[in-house]
Structure formats: structure tokens, C-alpha cells
Amino acid sequence: MADEEPVDQKKYLEEGCKPKCVKQLRAYEACVKRIEGDESGHKHCTGQYFDYWACIDKCCTDSILEIEIIEGQCCVTLASCGAVLS
């Protein structure tokens, strides 16, 4: 078992979060279509692109960590294993 390569869970988390960020994806796609014929190079969709990935990142973070208030203290719970960090 020690010889196995670790699997990066990030891509699986991102795929699971994409359906929750459809609104941001549609805004990005609409922007790309809107500026399709721009020859000047001044128009871009960077904001919409970052909004989309920020949504996915937040969803992934929420999937991994749960913030709880326990007896007046803020604790971070690793959702995947149930461990509590304070």
C-alpha cells in the first residue's frame, strides 16, 4: 500500500462542484460569445472566469471543511474524516 501513488482529490471535488456554479459558467460563456469578434484585444472575460473558479473553490472548501461553533469556540471539522481541529 505504501507504494501506491497518492490520488489528488481536487479534480473529483471540482467536478462535483461544477453543477453548483452553472450561473457563473453561463455568465462566462455569454461574455466569451459577446467578445468573439473583438480584434482589438482590449475586451476580455477575466472577471467572469475568476467568478466561476471562485465559486468552485468555495464549494470545494465547503466540501472539505465544516466550521462549527462548539461551546463558544470556533472549530474546523474535516468533513472527510470527522477530525476536529481547534
Side-chain angles (χ1 to χ4, degrees):
M1 182 152 166
D3 294 336
E4 293 179 19
E5 285 290 318
V7 177
D8 184 7
Q9 297 298 314
K10 184 177 183 232
K11 68 179 179 178
Y12 301 110
L13 288 170
E14 287 177 350
E15 287 301 317
C17 285
K18 285 181 179 180
K20 297 177 182 179
C21 299
V22 172
K23 179 181 175 184
Q24 291 83 351
L25 176 61
R26 297 287 181 250
Y28 172 69
E29 291 173 338
C31 178
V32 169
K33 188 173 182 177
R34 192 171 50 249
I35 67 166
E36 217 167 54
D38 178 41
E39 298 290 327
S40 69
H42 293 290
K43 296 179 182 177
H44 57 83
C45 299
T46 306
Q48 291 85 350
Y49 179 80
F50 284 139
D51 288 346
Y52 174 61
W53 282 102
C55 176
I56 291 175
D57 287 345
K58 182 179 181 333
C59 173
C60 289
T61 302
D62 291 347
S63 297
I64 296 169
L65 301 175
E66 295 175 356
I67 298 176
E68 300 179 6
I69 304 296
I70 300 174
E71 295 179 11
Q73 295 182 353
C74 181
C75 299
V76 177
T77 303
L78 296 173
S80 59
C81 65
V84 176
L85 310 171
S86 33

